[in-house]
Amino acid sequence: MDAFFIDTKFYHLKMTKLSSEQLLNISQQFGTPLYVYNAEQITAQYKKLTTAFAETDTKFFYACKALTNINILKHIKSIGCNVDCSAINEVKLALMAGFEPANILYTSNGIHFSEIEEAQSLGVNINIDSLSNLEKFGEKYGHSYPVGIRLRPNIMAGGNLKISTGHDKSKFGIPADQLDQVLELVNKYQLFIQNLHIHTGSDIKDVAIFVKGIEVLFDIIPHFKELSSIDLGGGFKVPYKKGDAETDIPLLAQKVKEAFDNHPNPNGKHLQVWFEPGKFLVSEAGYLIAEVNVIKETTATTFVGLNTGFNHLIRPMFYDAYHQIDNISNPNGYVKEYSIVGNICETDTFAWDRPMAEIREGDLLVFYNAGAYGFEMSSNFNSRLKPAEVMVKEGKTTLIRKKDTLEDLIRNQVI
Ligand code: LLP
């Protein structure tokens, strides 16, 4: 019975991933470089969350900074997920995609108060991350508009320091040790605090980190009588490398439930648990396909130069991030080591001495896990054009963003 269950599970996963043949066909149709997103994989990831947390009152907000194409936002909405925004334009995109303001969360950081005023006028949920903006909010709105507070729990977490946000040197949130100052403002302006938020980082595999965050919040919750939710942010890890683990979501759900069962809110009010997953929902759903322009044999290594670069996928150069790369044109080729590089006029390395099936000029390589912070962090460096994006959904492949043109590069230049 168990074996049957496992088989079914893997079969399902296989079905949601795009095959090399599908990716080859799509790139023939749309050209390369090309971002491809598989809507069904997003849905499958969302289902993992809702299934695991079925016994806890939970609300998931997709951290759309990972990928904001409006068609992806619409898909996210269609599966019942809410949306988390980190900038006012993300809020506006979410509204354009059809999200109700009540299902939009705006977690600001280091922004001018006018942006918070704009978010307030749009009626969305707001998390404030500085004493300064909290004071301005109190002065202007008092108790009239419920608001959340982003706290910095002073916990070190995340795949590397660049994506760690909850530690005691991080710019994010109001340090939990400044709680007295927060409470002073809350009392002074009779603030209506509806939510307490923490987000400790990205690529967090260890469930214990989330539990630690909850424990920090349990000490703080009793001070806020009108609280209706706590927000544990995002940061679930996805496997980038073969053999990598994903955050154990069922275990996390069990630990969260246990923690809340053991710590009923002393104020008697039920607390909903919010999460803001970005990578978890869209990372594996995205593929970047590129073509091999040149192969350069040197004494140090064999370079494979692609028609893409860190202008399209910056994660390897920016975070030393690992992305699996396959040669989908010659999957059974003799394995050799190659250094995969971009066409940007500065060092632009995707992988060094990586064993790959034999690569020839003209072959197509696919980068996996390119859905989160891939296109979204792309640029026009070297005056190169941003690639097109397509979405595969219900067997149909649709262009969801046209490739840039030269006109796009000069559109806002005053000539
Ligand atoms: N909530 C807040 C307040 C955040 O700052 C972030 C990510 C998330 C949620 C979503 O985190 P996720 O589930 O995606 O890990 N560009 C980096 C990741 C930076 C994450 C920034 N904040 C990367 O490519 O690894």
Side-chain angles (χ1 to χ4, degrees):
M1 187 63 196
D2 265 3
F4 174 72
F5 175 74
I6 288 165
D7 278 345
T8 313
K9 204 167 128 194
F10 282 131
Y11 180 69
H12 169 71
L13 286 179
K14 233 177 168 171
M15 293 303 284
T16 59
K17 288 199 171 156
L18 295 181
S19 67
S20 302
E21 292 71 37
Q22 280 170 297
L23 292 169
L24 280 171
N25 285 339
I26 293 169
S27 42
Q28 260 157 25
Q29 201 183 335
F30 295 92
T32 66
L34 181 71
Y35 271 100
V36 181
Y37 309 115
N38 180 15
E40 267 82 40
Q41 269 176 272
I42 298 175
T43 311
Q45 289 297 94
Y46 182 60
K47 279 201 181 131
K48 278 190 202 169
L49 295 175
T50 51
T51 307
F53 280 92
E55 287 178 43
T56 304
D57 182 13
T58 325
K59 192 161 172 172
F60 295 99
F61 296 82
Y62 162 56
C64 73
K65 62 177 77 68
L67 176 60
T68 51
N69 187 296
I70 195 144
N71 301 279
I72 297 294
L73 296 181
K74 284 183 180 167
H75 177 68
I76 291 278
K77 180 178 177 290
S78 76
I79 57 179
C81 188
N82 311 288
V83 66
D84 168 56
C85 305
S86 56
I88 199 71
N89 287 338
E90 287 182 0
V91 171
K92 291 177 186 171
L93 287 173
L95 288 167
M96 279 182 210
F99 286 93
E100 292 297 327
N103 296 328
I104 299 176
L105 175 59
Y106 169 58
T107 302
S108 62
N109 144 61
I111 45 112
H112 194 270
F113 183 63
S114 54
E115 212 172 293
I116 293 183
E117 290 176 299
E118 207 175 346
Q120 190 276 346
S121 73
L122 295 170
V124 302
N125 297 288
I126 301 172
N127 285 328
I128 294 184
D129 102 321
S130 67
L131 289 170
S132 153
N133 274 332
L134 193 61
E135 170 123 43
K136 289 176 190 143
F137 194 89
E139 276 168 5
K140 178 139 192 196
Y141 304 107
H143 188 268
S144 69
Y145 196 88
V147 72
I149 300 177
R150 177 171 187 172
L151 293 166
R152 194 190 73 193
N154 300 337
I155 293 173
M156 180 58 90
N160 65 66
L161 195 56
K162 283 189 185 157
I163 54 173
S164 297
T165 51
H167 57 84
D168 64 3
K169 290 192 178 62
S170 162
K171 67 167 182 168
F172 294 98
I174 302 173
D177 42 278
Q178 292 175 5
L179 181 64
D180 285 352
Q181 285 158 269
V182 171
L183 293 175
E184 231 169 79
L185 292 177
V186 171
N187 290 333
K188 185 169 167 195
Y189 298 106
Q190 290 300 299
L191 281 161
F192 181 168
I193 304 302
Q194 67 161 358
N195 182 41
L196 289 181
H197 169 282
I198 54 171
H199 169 78
T200 56
S202 200
D203 280 350
I204 306 171
K205 190 177 94 184
D206 191 0
V207 166
I209 295 288
F210 292 96
V211 177
K212 220 166 147 185
I214 299 174
E215 279 162 7
V216 171
L217 287 178
F218 280 138
D219 288 339
I220 298 174
I221 287 170
H223 296 284
F224 297 94
K225 309 265 179 290
E226 293 177 294
L227 211 59
S228 51
S229 55
I230 68 151
D231 179 350
L232 299 173
F236 306 146
K237 184 171 166 36
V238 293
Y240 280 96
K241 245 185 211 158
K242 273 183 187 153
D244 253 10
E246 188 172 89
T247 307
D248 187 339
I249 299 296
L251 178 67
L252 176 65
Q254 182 199 322
K255 295 286 178 198
V256 169
K257 185 173 180 325
E258 278 169 18
F260 279 87
D261 287 349
N262 295 334
H263 291 83
N265 184 0
N267 299 317
K269 239 183 136 185
H270 169 73
L271 294 180
Q272 191 172 51
V273 183
W274 292 2
F275 285 105
E276 303 161 358
K279 267 181 199 171
F280 189 82
L281 291 177
V282 298
S283 177
E284 288 166 284
Y287 307 77
L288 170 63
I289 309 172
E291 186 175 331
V292 177
N293 282 341
V294 267
I295 299 196
K296 195 184 279 185
E297 300 278 359
T298 72
T299 48
T301 189
T302 304
F303 288 106
V304 174
L306 302 181
N307 66 349
T308 186
F310 75 56
N311 53 326
H312 296 159
L313 181 66
I314 202 170
R315 299 190 76 260
M317 286 305 289
F318 206 43
Y319 307 113
D320 279 333
Y322 181 99
H323 280 261
Q324 192 190 321
I325 309 169
D326 279 353
N327 181 359
I328 52 174
S329 298
N330 190 23
N332 302 317
Y334 177 76
V335 175
K336 245 186 83 177
E337 284 185 351
Y338 297 94
S339 294
I340 317 291
V341 296
N343 55 0
I344 285 303
C345 191
E346 85 172 63
T347 301
D348 183 13
T349 312
F350 289 118
W352 190 262
D353 279 348
R354 176 91 56 97
M356 301 273 306
E358 187 193 358
I359 301 178
R360 304 142 316 175
E361 291 184 358
D363 279 356
L364 294 180
L365 305 193
V366 60
F367 291 76
Y368 296 94
N369 273 94
Y373 310 106
F375 183 90
E376 206 58 30
M377 292 178 79
S378 65
S379 75
N380 289 111
F381 186 41
N382 279 194
S383 295
R384 294 216 170 267
L385 307 177
K386 289 192 186 186
E389 295 175 288
V390 299
M391 181 167 77
V392 182
K393 187 171 174 174
E394 289 156 10
K396 259 180 54 191
T397 307
T398 317
L399 185 66
I400 58 170
R401 181 191 297 267
K402 291 187 248 173
K403 177 184 172 173
D404 272 358
T405 61
L406 183 62
E407 288 69 49
D408 293 319
L409 297 185
I410 53 164
R411 188 156 20 109
N412 290 328
Q413 297 186 34
V414 180
I415 296 166

